[in-house]
Amino acid sequence: MAATTEHTTTDGPLIVGLGGTLRANSSTERALRYCLAEVERQGGRSRLYAGPDLDLPMYAPHELERTPKAAELVDALRGADAVVVASPGYHGAVSGLVKNALDYIEDLREDPRVYLDDTPWGCITCAYGWQAAVGTLGQLRVIGHALRAWPTPLGVAINSADPVWNSHGELVDESVQNQLRMLASQLLTFARTSGARR
């Protein structure tokens, strides 16, 4: 099981990343980890909720009790300066695991910052084929808008059918590396701008 991790080596913006699958070290999780590592390299802080951390009860708006994992996720999102979401493209759509986790953001509806109002929102998708990867990316952007967040100009769609990873699971595709670095940079830049306005 992938543990929730937090790195606090600087006082930079806190970027909360969530996503992956229930299979530890999935390509989606690896892409998310790469992006968050780049956030830290550029002076930010990161907190990761990988696939198994998102194995939560189905969100029920009428049920007020939360499991410890669900309460921790909501609290982390409440304090996030930016959020990056990574989803596999399952049959051309956001996975149920990721969507259910995002539904818990409804718990922020009465916060001073309603939902993720004015919060940078990064999107990463992985699928075995461009159609599902790009379609899922569009859905994540729509979800971000619905939560009053600001999707970054760059979203990263990864075609897992391409030789993106080596046999050790390391990202070797230079184009994808550059995109994930740019996504981290945009998240930090906009988080600092958004934070100055609050």
Side-chain angles (χ1 to χ4, degrees):
M1 179 184 237
T4 302
T5 57
E6 180 174 10
H7 301 278
T8 55
T9 55
T10 73
D11 59 357
L14 174 62
I15 314 301
V16 172
L18 65 92
T21 74
L22 291 177
R23 178 172 57 85
N25 203 33
S26 66
S27 58
T28 308
E29 181 182 323
R30 291 197 304 265
L32 179 59
R33 285 182 182 275
Y34 190 96
C35 182
L36 292 178
E38 188 61 27
V39 162
E40 293 170 27
R41 195 188 70 76
Q42 295 183 30
R45 295 176 293 143
S46 73
R47 190 162 188 181
L48 169 68
Y49 290 86
D53 302 315
L54 307 180
D55 191 9
L56 306 172
M58 290 299 295
Y59 178 75
H62 61 280
E63 181 58 60
L64 299 181
E65 284 197 30
R66 297 286 175 253
T67 65
K69 283 201 304 186
E72 181 184 342
L73 174 64
V74 170
D75 192 54
L77 291 166
R78 178 175 283 122
D81 295 306
V83 176
V84 56
V85 181
S87 177
Y90 285 170
H91 306 118
V94 174
S95 74
L97 181 79
V98 171
K99 180 59 169 67
N100 184 57
L102 295 176
D103 286 344
Y104 277 86
I105 297 175
E106 180 65 20
D107 286 2
L108 305 181
R109 65 188 174 277
E110 295 180 4
D111 278 23
R113 178 180 73 178
V114 179
Y115 300 132
L116 294 173
D117 187 46
D118 206 27
T119 303
W121 173 270
C123 304
I124 302 169
T125 60
C126 293
Y128 202 79
W130 286 115
Q131 181 171 315
V134 174
T136 303
L137 183 67
Q139 292 175 356
L140 283 181
R141 287 182 177 278
V142 168
I143 291 169
H145 283 134
L147 293 170
R148 305 185 188 182
W150 292 97
T152 57
L154 177 69
V156 181
I158 300 171
N159 182 357
S160 300
D162 291 339
V164 177
W165 316 95
N166 66 17
S167 59
H168 302 292
E170 298 166 333
L171 181 59
V172 294
D173 186 296
E174 187 175 348
S175 175
V176 175
Q177 290 174 351
N178 289 337
Q179 289 178 60
L180 291 172
R181 289 187 192 118
M182 187 181 300
L183 177 59
S185 178
Q186 290 183 358
L187 286 165
L188 288 168
T189 298
F190 300 144
R192 292 182 176 111
T193 302
S194 177
R197 290 198 299 267
R198 285 202 283 265

